[in-house]
Amino acid sequence: MTRILILTDYRGTFYSTARSRHGLCTMDVDKIAGYLADAGLDPEVVRFSDLDLSADLRGVPVLYTSSEDRGLHYKSWIEDLVLALETAGARVIPGYRYLRAHHNKAMMEALRAQLFPEDARLLGTRTFGTYEELAATELAGPWPKVLKSAYGAGSQFVARAADRRELLRTARTLSETSDRGEAVREHGRRLLRRDHHPRSLHRQKFLVQALIPGLAGDFKVLRMGARYYTLYRRNRPGDFRASGSGDFDFQDLAGVDRDGLLDYAERVSDTLGTPLASLDIGHDGERFHLLEFQCLHFGTVTAEESTGYHLRVGDAWQHVEEECDIEAVFCAAIVGHLRQLAPRSR
């Protein structure tokens, strides 16, 4: 039997779900282990802190969770371990780069530029590590623009700027990193030393991208293996943002062709090469736009509250009515992925 590791956090949680279990939003780890065992695998549940990195882990599939802790301190430690696992030859699912992109829009945009086809790179995104870098940059393209912190979810730290002046003012606030002591010391150095090279007090990384005009909402497409779940999210009242609005529609796709949306989502998620993907997609009346993506630890409302999923059958899409068992669907996606990667016997 093929050994497979399931890594849980310090609370014993794994991924997240729309349904609370024992006060925690987590998948049922025992159910996952059972489904994987039924598929012929040998699951082993281990906490990150009990992981033995000196063991021979070459070729061992590893499923792991991320974290959304304040400040991302715990997630940083998880990143250390997952990179070490990947370096040791373990088959981490998904690859480390996608963990790095979770709650890190700067990394997500770097992957977009490297991986995606042109029709998924239409937002003209630029990322910056300091406010000063933005201030020294002339941005091409029309206004208004959208400014986002690299961190945060649910439209946290996302703003619209009508012109360059508003963009710089907002970016200065969004990127601020200094406390009072650091600011006083830095200003003192600038006054006392003529040869002092100023240090930035605004080092929170952020990004600037085009605003897609006229969007009343966006689409969430959740791919889990061969299953595609969809919902439409309306913008917050009087706002340009849909993420975090909670105003969902599982039936009406706001007049957008469902097959076209699914074709686009399939092409983008195929590029990622992961068994799981959560895509935020906009439509401007003519073209689809990939707004954001995640490959692990994403919200599962799109699947869990659905009445069914979409499945490609030949050249067409078929809707399959099904009450979602999120652990079963998760495991089916993982098992299908592993079988796809398995060497074929001659």
Side-chain angles (χ1 to χ4, degrees), residues 21-312:
R21 292 175 173 83
H22 309 297
L24 297 171
C25 292
T26 175
M27 289 191 185
D28 188 320
V29 180
D30 290 336
K31 283 182 68 176
I32 288 175
Y35 284 130
L36 293 176
D38 291 343
L41 298 171
D42 181 17
E44 181 181 346
V45 180
V46 179
R47 290 181 187 258
F48 280 110
S49 57
D50 294 326
L51 182 63
D52 182 5
L53 289 172
S54 66
D56 185 0
L57 297 167
R58 288 172 294 181
V60 175
V62 179
L63 309 178
Y64 63 94
T65 192
S66 185
S67 173
E68 299 176 351
D69 64 307
R70 185 183 179 92
L72 302 181
H73 307 297
Y74 189 68
K75 177 179 182 286
S76 176
W77 179 63
I78 290 174
E79 288 176 352
D80 295 340
L81 299 182
V82 172
L83 180 56
L85 284 166
E86 196 169 81
T87 303
R91 187 186 295 175
V92 295
I93 302 173
Y96 169 75
R97 59 186 178 180
Y98 296 123
L99 169 62
R100 181 69 181 163
H102 176 233
H103 270 281
N104 183 349
K105 293 181 177 66
M107 185 64 192
M108 184 185 72
E109 292 300 332
L111 291 177
R112 183 203 298 266
Q114 288 288 313
L115 300 177
F116 288 133
E118 185 177 357
D119 63 351
R121 294 185 280 110
L122 298 175
L123 299 181
T125 304
R126 295 284 301 271
T127 66
F128 299 93
T130 67
Y131 163 79
E132 288 79 5
E133 289 168 320
L134 172 64
T137 301
E138 291 295 329
L139 297 173
W143 297 84
K145 295 188 183 297
V146 175
L147 179 71
K148 298 179 180 180
S149 169
Y151 306 111
S155 292
Q156 288 180 307
F157 313 115
V158 177
R160 175 168 54 185
D163 52 35
R164 180 174 176 82
R165 181 177 179 181
E166 184 177 11
L167 179 72
L168 291 176
R169 184 174 65 249
T170 305
R172 186 176 182 86
T173 300
L174 192 69
S175 62
E176 185 172 0
T177 53
S178 65
D179 56 26
R180 185 182 180 91
E182 181 185 10
V184 169
R185 288 190 296 273
E186 177 58 24
H187 288 308
R189 293 187 191 101
R190 295 179 186 184
L191 289 172
L192 296 173
R193 294 173 51 185
R194 292 183 178 180
D195 61 344
H196 176 64
H197 294 280
R199 298 178 181 179
S200 175
L201 301 175
H202 304 269
R203 303 185 303 276
Q204 280 283 14
K205 55 188 175 183
F206 60 93
L207 58 96
V208 179
Q209 60 187 194
L211 173 69
I212 306 170
L215 293 187
D218 64 17
F219 306 94
K220 174 73 75 173
V221 180
L222 188 60
R223 179 177 183 174
M224 303 188 75
R227 291 172 168 86
Y228 289 76
Y229 300 90
T230 62
L231 66 76
Y232 177 65
R233 304 185 297 184
R234 297 180 184 87
N235 287 353
R236 302 173 183 180
D239 204 333
F240 71 99
R241 297 168 293 185
S243 180
S245 72
D247 190 355
F248 304 146
D249 196 319
F250 290 85
Q251 304 300 325
D252 181 17
L253 290 184
V256 171
D257 174 54
R258 189 184 300 269
D259 287 0
L261 173 65
L262 291 168
D263 287 344
Y264 182 83
E266 180 184 52
R267 187 164 67 254
V268 169
S269 55
D270 279 350
T271 301
L272 291 168
T274 63
L276 308 166
S278 175
L279 310 176
D280 295 353
I281 299 172
H283 191 264
D284 64 7
E286 297 182 2
R287 298 183 297 185
F288 290 103
H289 299 264
L290 177 65
L291 305 177
E292 295 186 5
F293 69 90
Q294 292 185 55
C295 296
L296 79 164
H297 209 86
F298 41 72
T300 54
V301 168
T302 311
E304 290 188 84
E305 296 189 7
S306 69
T307 58
Y309 62 89
H310 304 278
L311 177 70
R312 174 166 299 277

